[in-house]
Amino acid sequence: MGFRLRAGRGTNLALLVLLAGALVTGALAFAIGGAWAFWALAAHGAVGLALVLLAPWKSVISARGVRRARPGTPASVLLGVLVVVTVLSGIAHAVGLWTSGLAMQVHVGAALVSIPLAIWHVVARPVRPRPSDLSRRSLLRAGAVVGGGVVAFGAIEGLVRATGLPGSDRRATGSYERGSFDPAAMPVTQWLDDQPPEIHPDHWSLVVRTPNGTSTLSYDELAGFSDRVRATVDCTGGWFATQDWTGVRLNRLLEADDAVRSFVVVSATGYGRRFPIADAASMLVATRAGGRELSAGHGFPARLVAPGRRGFWWVKWIERIETSQTPWWWQSPFPLT
Ligand SMILES: Nc1nc2c(c(=O)[nH]1)N[C@H]1C(S)=C(S)[C@@H](COP(=O)(O)O)O[C@H]1N2
Ligand SMILES: [Mo]
């Protein structure tokens, strides 16, 4: 079979498609918390490893490019370095050689910075598609690259399990366990520029707005509820923890009429997420974890428990909950700050 890949425009085109694929599958892996999480993660791993498989060909092209240095060559080299950093940090986190939260920050940070550079690179060094790109031969080659990525992913997963590397203990989302049933040992995580506020319960109340009007609950009123849920908070930073949460089921607070489609939960810090109204039945406004009052870092006086959703949905330091007719998906898919 003619799978001899010449280092050239085919390589570049394949890399471009794979980079886009890595971005999409990576975002999916962050968005999905439930049963499909593993498949998003596997696709992400396979695409990333397919990138690695093309490295020998791309290095031939890159060496050519560096020899006849043109304006922009340093930017191209920087792009290459960022992609290498992204791939290596991803693999290191997956197999368990680098399991700290920093690994995922480096992985995502390098990937995000590489996006504008990749767009510039494609504009400055365009790969013009040709009809032959869709020939049987090209498609076979593309299939071989993707298939290679899938095989590499399976091989690495197998190796990690056989050798008992920490990567074998991961959850389907790819996260490592940190502090289950021990809230004090669970990491305190917030989105880039959010800081745990010091809230005094006497100067705090929860405002709930529904079509029936506005009500406020004091901390003592809220802490009087004892609905319980065992649920797993799973941060996109790469850790998870299961806790027994106590609080009030959200559907007990939100009487909705037929026009209500969603509700928004807003933090004292301004951070907020919007949810489909049907989810209120499975969610909790929690005042306790493991039977104890929440710590300031974990959301005191009250935080959201959103079973099956990734950590960024679990709004801490809740101040206001409001139903509305806006569809839940009318928001940024990920928090922006
Ligand atoms: N107000 C607010 N709530 C927030 C966040 C935030 O930045 N601000 N970060 C979320 C993220 S990304 C995660 S993973 C969980 C972490 O909860 P923990 O700090 O109690 O472990 O809180 C979520 N709730
Ligand atoms: Mo998170």
Side-chain angles (χ1 to χ4, degrees):
M1 298 246 273
F3 282 149
R4 202 176 65 88
L5 285 176
R6 261 181 301 119
R9 51 186 302 289
T11 313
N12 287 334
L13 207 56
L15 282 169
L16 184 59
V17 172
L18 287 172
L19 277 180
L23 207 64
V24 170
T25 53
L28 270 181
F30 271 4
I32 299 175
W36 288 92
F38 174 76
W39 295 106
L41 193 72
H44 188 58
V47 169
L49 290 168
L51 276 171
V52 175
L53 295 179
L54 287 179
W57 288 273
K58 185 60 183 179
S59 46
V60 172
I61 300 172
S62 305
R64 268 197 311 248
V66 169
R67 272 198 303 274
R68 61 186 151 101
R70 293 166 281 178
T73 295
S76 301
V77 172
L78 178 60
L79 172 60
V81 170
L82 285 170
V83 171
V84 168
V85 167
T86 305
V87 168
L88 287 183
S89 55
I91 294 174
H93 187 267
V95 302
L97 292 176
W98 190 19
T99 61
S100 82
L102 186 61
M104 286 308 285
Q105 276 172 349
V106 167
H107 182 67
V108 174
L112 291 181
V113 176
S114 72
I115 293 172
L117 277 174
I119 292 172
W120 162 81
H121 190 74
V122 172
V123 172
R125 319 257 192 272
V127 195
R128 288 194 187 79
R130 290 178 199 152
S132 65
D133 291 337
L134 289 176
S135 70
R136 208 175 104 82
R137 190 188 171 85
S138 308
L139 291 180
L140 275 173
R141 284 177 177 169
V145 171
V146 171
V150 172
V151 169
F153 180 82
I156 290 179
E157 279 286 297
L159 205 68
V160 164
R161 295 225 172 122
T163 55
L165 273 168
S168 52
D169 292 334
R170 298 195 307 158
R171 204 169 176 246
T173 53
S175 295
Y176 292 92
E177 187 158 32
R178 299 278 182 269
S180 282
F181 305 109
D182 184 7
M186 178 171 83
V188 168
T189 312
Q190 34 288 327
W191 214 259
L192 295 178
D193 61 357
D194 224 347
Q195 287 296 319
E198 278 293 334
I199 299 177
H200 196 282
D202 292 348
H203 305 137
W204 175 92
S205 62
L206 175 64
V207 177
V208 181
R209 285 203 193 104
T210 72
N212 297 342
T214 302
S215 55
T216 49
L217 288 101
S218 69
Y219 178 69
D220 287 339
E221 284 173 312
L222 201 63
F225 289 94
S226 49
D227 295 336
R228 292 175 60 119
V229 163
R230 177 169 289 185
T232 304
V233 53
D234 187 333
C235 178
T236 51
W239 62 268
F240 75 89
T242 305
Q243 310 291 355
D244 287 321
W245 307 93
T246 312
V248 57
R249 293 247 177 215
L250 251 174
N251 58 345
R252 296 228 250 157
L253 299 181
L254 303 176
E255 324 91 20
D257 59 26
D258 288 348
V260 166
R261 294 168 75 180
S262 69
F263 61 92
V264 66
V265 180
V266 184
S267 165
T269 61
Y271 182 96
R273 296 300 291 167
R274 185 176 291 282
F275 301 82
I277 189 69
D279 283 22
S282 63
M283 289 169 54
L284 213 64
V285 175
T287 51
R288 274 167 280 166
R292 297 197 160 190
E293 192 170 82
L294 296 173
S295 68
H298 288 140
F300 183 82
R303 68 111 32 95
L304 211 56
V305 168
R309 289 182 182 267
R310 297 304 292 267
F312 65 86
W313 295 92
W314 295 47
V315 180
K316 301 192 280 191
W317 317 297
I318 303 178
E319 191 172 70
R320 180 165 56 89
I321 305 174
E322 203 172 314
T323 60
S324 88
Q325 304 182 12
T326 311
W328 72 268
W329 43 261
W330 188 247
Q331 65 185 328
S332 151
F334 301 105
L336 291 178
T337 58

